[in-house]
Amino acid sequence: MSAIQLSFTLRTSSNVKTVHLLGSWDNYSGQLPLSKDSSKSGGWKGTFRFQGATLQAGQRYWYY
């Protein structure tokens, strides 16, 4: 079974306490937590591995 690994980075106001990523790959039903990036003020990052048919090549996915 193949897997796809994606990394996300985001910059927000420095007073933001938590950040979660929502995406169209699961119809926005799950929340993926991003971690604070201590090297950047207001920076957040996360790397996620999607298994099997969650993501398909050539498709467009949206995230918020």
Side-chain angles (χ1 to χ4, degrees):
M1 196 179 287
S2 65
I4 296 174
Q5 182 170 305
L6 296 174
S7 294
F8 297 89
T9 59
L10 177 73
R11 184 166 275 176
T12 66
S13 301
S14 58
N15 61 342
V16 171
K17 302 292 184 207
T18 61
V19 174
H20 289 84
L21 183 70
L22 289 85
S24 62
W25 50 80
D26 66 355
N27 204 25
Y28 306 99
S29 65
Q31 296 184 19
L32 303 175
L34 297 182
S35 301
K36 212 167 204 16
D37 184 350
S38 58
S39 68
K40 297 177 185 149
S41 177
W44 296 85
K45 61 185 177 180
T47 300
F48 304 99
R49 191 173 183 87
F50 298 90
Q51 297 289 335
T54 304
L55 297 179
Q56 297 176 7
Q59 296 297 312
R60 179 177 293 174
Y61 298 94
W62 300 94
Y63 56 92
Y64 297 93

